[in-house]
Amino acid sequence: MMACPVRQYRTMSSRSSSALLPVGSLLLGMLSFQFGAALAKQLFPVMGAQGATAMRLGLGALILWALRRPWRRLAGRRDWASLWGYGLTLGIMNLCFYMALRTIPLGIAVALEFLGPLAIALAGSRRALDFLWVVLAVAGLALLLPWQAQHAQLLDLVGVMYALAAAVGWATYILLGRRAGAAFGGDAVALGSAIGALVAVPVGVVHAGAALFTLASLPFAFGVAVLSSALPYSLEMHALTRLPSRTVGILVSVEPAMGALLGLAFLDEHLSVFQWLAIAAIIAASIGAVLGARNAPVEIAEMA
């Protein structure tokens, strides 16, 4: 018996509308994170990148603890080593990323940091086609690095190294985050943020001192904590539980371009043609790696 066309249409329409909310949540979460990074740069003249990282992780952890109240579910938890590794990596990764933002544009910092999860996505590759994505990623990196003296003025090598260190941190974060998430569930983010704050807050206090506690900076710091931690984490968690991992990977792959556009709009960070080509190459490599993944789920979610 043939299915009713009206019923088929309603089913397809229902599936389409049900996917819109998690997709919108993921895109809004990425946008929120990039807005938070752009806002954090406004704090750099007052408290430095170290102070901005301390405020983001410290206030973000307080917000997440107030929302999740993870202390009520600690009894019987195991694998604390993974949680501590996850949290410490979170703190170091964020510190390196904000240190990179001092001297290189937001879009380039995001693109370089994205090489970490891209490496995870390509790690299990066995097909000849996957070699193309490796070549594209390497080409993008080559276009970004300041090989000549005149290019060094456009892209600071120290900032590049901090962004690459953040990429290593992001890859490690994904590997440890899987284990911490399996052991602690949704509380892993709140607990890990508190551990990460133990890394960032002392560094920020030593560097910025009393500047951390100025009333004029507190609204900006609170905005960074909400936009870069509490809001995107909540939105992404909603999306990750409702979308296939491949869809998530493809959507998140556009984040370097999103960062570059926001950097241009709000920070007046103009990129050269080669730098835009480099970002496009890294995005193409990410999408190709996600589409080529067969067995293992691809996790390139922005939880930094």
Side-chain angles (χ1 to χ4, degrees):
M1 183 174 64
M2 295 181 61
C4 176
V6 175
R7 182 177 299 175
Q8 284 185 334
Y9 173 79
R10 288 177 177 174
T11 302
M12 294 173 60
S13 177
S14 175
R15 290 176 180 174
S16 176
S17 60
S18 64
L20 287 178
L21 185 57
V23 168
S25 296
L26 185 61
L27 293 175
L28 185 58
M30 292 189 295
L31 191 62
S32 174
F33 179 83
Q34 299 303 327
F35 267 114
L39 184 61
K41 271 197 135 177
Q42 310 301 320
L43 292 173
F44 287 6
V46 178
M47 61 184 64
Q50 300 92 326
T53 309
M55 296 301 282
R56 178 222 163 146
L57 283 178
L59 291 175
L62 290 176
I63 294 171
L64 288 170
W65 272 60
L67 293 175
R68 296 282 313 179
R69 291 183 283 183
W71 62 85
R72 302 183 303 171
R73 295 174 291 274
L74 293 181
R77 297 289 194 179
R78 300 181 183 276
D79 204 2
W80 287 92
S82 294
L83 179 68
W84 274 89
Y86 163 78
L88 292 174
T89 301
L90 179 65
I92 295 171
M93 175 183 64
N94 277 278
L95 186 58
C96 288
F97 180 69
Y98 275 25
M99 293 293 285
L101 289 184
R102 296 181 309 168
T103 55
I104 65 176
L106 174 60
I108 292 178
V110 175
L112 288 172
E113 189 189 30
F114 212 77
L115 293 174
L118 175 58
I120 296 294
L122 291 171
S125 300
R126 296 294 183 269
R127 303 181 311 159
L129 181 61
D130 293 325
F131 180 72
L132 173 62
W133 314 133
V134 176
V135 171
L136 272 176
V138 172
L141 178 61
L143 286 171
L144 288 178
L145 291 178
W147 297 106
Q148 301 177 9
Q150 61 267 31
H151 292 160
Q153 297 179 354
L154 299 176
L155 200 62
D156 177 63
L157 184 58
V158 175
V160 168
M161 297 308 295
Y162 271 120
L164 292 176
V168 175
W170 197 355
T172 306
Y173 167 91
I174 290 173
L175 297 175
L176 293 176
R178 290 174 180 170
R179 295 177 56 184
F184 291 87
D187 292 333
V189 174
L191 295 169
S193 296
I195 296 172
L198 296 179
V199 175
V201 171
V203 175
V205 170
V206 170
H207 176 80
L212 287 176
F213 308 104
T214 56
L215 293 178
S217 301
L218 189 58
F220 290 94
F222 186 79
V224 170
V226 171
L227 291 172
S228 294
S229 294
L231 181 59
Y233 288 165
S234 301
L235 291 171
E236 286 169 359
M237 186 60 66
H238 173 82
L240 289 173
T241 57
R242 291 166 175 82
L243 291 175
S245 58
R246 179 174 294 189
T247 302
V248 173
I250 293 172
L251 289 172
V252 176
S253 296
V254 305
E255 193 160 9
M258 188 181 293
L261 291 173
L262 286 179
L264 175 64
F266 294 99
L267 301 174
D268 198 29
E269 295 177 342
H270 296 269
L271 304 182
S272 68
V273 173
F274 286 107
Q275 289 168 340
W276 279 108
L277 287 174
I279 292 175
I282 292 173
I283 291 174
S286 301
I287 294 175
V290 171
L291 291 176
R294 291 181 175 178
N295 298 324
V298 179
E299 297 185 31
I300 314 183
E302 176 60 72
M303 300 292 287

